């Protein structure tokens, strides 16, 4: 954006009569009346300068699609103009059209090989287009000449996105070394340390930033408080998170960890206040419901504490129901994909969550049969048949639906299991005699 802003600053220094036939354009520009400028330019000749001024006005009005249309028109006429290509790339990015932006940066790179600004932006565009491997490759080309701090952090992001945590750590570290004020790199590196339970490393990293760079950086202060809490330093966590509150941070995370630090310090009355603020922002967190409800029950409002704890139990029960559905869906997908081993694992998990869903036993038996593990298949088919209604007989139609005379789906499943069981027992018998 800096290059294009400079481009337009130079452009606007030209005599206004080169841009239009009227001083009204200059006056409207000075008054930031961009719609009026556009109306005047509509009546002016469509010169290159007038069209560029139109794109400037459209972008100031956040009408990036309209600006893009003009850039396309201009580039059709001036395809070798690298400045136009850069401007269109930046406009496309602002419009949320990442693929078009990347295409423009690729063209700009071909028009001006070796330009580090373009190469850097091309790497960023590759990453925004979910192509972390090519983004890393492009960034390393830039690093041969210059270690751009922003690009170092982006490569860290790309490695993190690709699940290569060690490489991400190295690039975040280098980004901070190059620019110690990069709070985003500090935050991301700190979160990796925190997730790995390297609490002291997180504390040292964030404390260094807060003491030497900016003691009022809310994101880093919050992370420092979280790390102190996780390390069991509840007094330090409380102090740091209260500083964040003073700075205007009333986020869920800060309120939650402040409340939890006070709870761990057995300051239940004070804890209730902050856990309530967290609850008012997100009442779906089971951990919060437990500690908030418990804190209430240990202070002045035991009735409310019981209500909140009940919410937590209901939330857990609902989560279990959802997990049961997920298990069944995973199992079905793996079974249809021929990965019977994983399918069995998910069917078994679903059955543990809801032992009343007897057909799952049939499905497990069917998976074992498909794997030619007949002994386990027999075991599960037998377990399934034991769940048949009392008095059920394979030769009787005592599970018929209404008066249609057709067996129910449950009856058919039991009949199929009995038939398969008979076949498999015969197969096992012949295998044992070989």
């Amino acid at each position: 954006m800096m290059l294009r802003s400079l481009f337009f600053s130079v452009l606007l220094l030209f005599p206004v009569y080169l841009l239009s036939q009227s001083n009204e354009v200059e006056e409207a520009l000075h008054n930031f009346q961009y719609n009026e400028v556009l109306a005047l330019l509509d009546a002016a000749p469509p010169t290159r300068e007038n069209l560029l001024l139109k794109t400037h006005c459209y972008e100031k009005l956040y009408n990036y699609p309209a600006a893009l249309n003009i850039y396309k028109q201009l580039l059709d006429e001036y395809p070798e103009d690298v400045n136009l290509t850069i401007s269109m790339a930046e406009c496309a990015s602002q419009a949320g059209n990442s693929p078009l932006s990347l295409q423009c940066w690729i063209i700009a790179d071909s028009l001006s090989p070796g330009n580090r600004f373009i190469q850097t932006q091309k790497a960023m565009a590759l990453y925004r287009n979910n192509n972390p491997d090519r983004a890393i490759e492009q960034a390393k080309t830039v690093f041969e000449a210059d270690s751009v701090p922003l690009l170092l952090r982006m490569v860290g992001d790309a490695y993190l996105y690709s699940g290569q945590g060690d490489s991400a750590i190295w690039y975040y570290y280098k980004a901070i070394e190059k620019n110690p004020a990069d709070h985003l790199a500090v935050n991301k590196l700190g979160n990796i340390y925190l997730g790995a339970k390297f609490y002291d490393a997180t504390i040292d990293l964030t404390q260094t930033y807060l003491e030497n760079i900016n003691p009022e950086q809310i994101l880093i202060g919050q992370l420092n408080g979280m790390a102190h809490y996780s390390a069991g330093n509840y007094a330090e966590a409380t102090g740091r998170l209260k500083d964040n509150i003073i700075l205007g941070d009333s986020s869920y995370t800060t309120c939650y960890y402040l409340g939890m630090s006070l709870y761990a310090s057995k300051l239940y009355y004070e804890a209730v206040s902050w856990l309530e603020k967290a609850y008012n922002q997100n009442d779906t967190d089971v951990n919060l419901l437990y500690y908030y409800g418990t804190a209430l029950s240990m202070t002045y409002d035991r009735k409310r504490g019981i209500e909140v704890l009940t919410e937590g139990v209901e939330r857990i029960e609902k989560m279990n129901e959802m997990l049961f559905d997920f298990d069944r869906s995973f199992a079905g997908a793996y079974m249809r994909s021929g990965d019977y081993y994983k399918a069995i694992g998910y069917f078994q998990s679903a059955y543990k969550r809801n032992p009343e869903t007897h057909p799952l036993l049939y499905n497990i038996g069917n998976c074992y049969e498909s794997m030619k593990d007949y002994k386990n298949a027999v075991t599960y088919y037998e377990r399934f048949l034991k769940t048949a209604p009392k008095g059920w007989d394979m030769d009787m139609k005592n599970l018929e639906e209404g008066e249609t005379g057709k067996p129910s789906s449950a009856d058919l499943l039991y009949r199929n299991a009995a038939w398969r069981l008979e076949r498999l027992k015969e197969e096992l018998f012949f295998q044992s005699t070989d």
Side-chain angles (χ1 to χ4, degrees), residues 2-21:
M2 186 180 297
L3 181 63
R4 186 149 53 89
S5 297
L6 180 62
F7 175 69
F8 276 114
S9 296
V10 173
L11 180 65
L12 293 175
L13 289 176
F14 280 90
V16 177
Y17 66 83
L18 292 177
L19 305 178
S20 78
Q21 297 296 317

Side-chain angles (χ1 to χ4, degrees), residues 4 23 28 38 52 84 100 127 139 187 207 256 259 290 309 320 322 327 334 419-420 427:
R4 186 149 53 89
N23 289 331
L38 288 168
L52 281 171
L84 274 177
L100 177 59
Y127 180 71
N187 183 60
Q207 197 70 35
Y256 173 80
Y290 171 76
L309 289 170
N320 281 334
M322 292 179 66
D327 279 341
Y334 279 121
W419 176 76
R420 289 179 178 274
E427 181 68 27

Side-chain angles (χ1 to χ4, degrees), residues 88-90 92-93 97-106 125 128:
M88 183 170 174
E90 293 179 337
S93 180
N97 192 337
S98 294
L100 177 59
S101 180
L102 172 59
Q103 181 184 349
C104 291
W105 286 119
I106 292 172
R128 285 193 292 268

Side-chain angles (χ1 to χ4, degrees), residues 23-35:
N23 289 331
E24 294 178 74
V25 171
E26 183 178 20
E27 184 179 350
L29 275 174
H30 286 314
N31 292 323
F32 310 107
Q33 297 171 318
Y34 300 114
N35 281 316

Side-chain angles (χ1 to χ4, degrees), residues 357-377:
T357 314
H358 305 309
L360 293 174
L361 296 170
Y362 174 88
N363 291 338
I364 296 171
N366 186 248
C367 286
Y368 275 121
E369 184 181 356
S370 299
M371 295 168 66
K372 300 189 184 304
D373 184 346
Y374 298 139
K375 287 185 179 179
N376 275 315

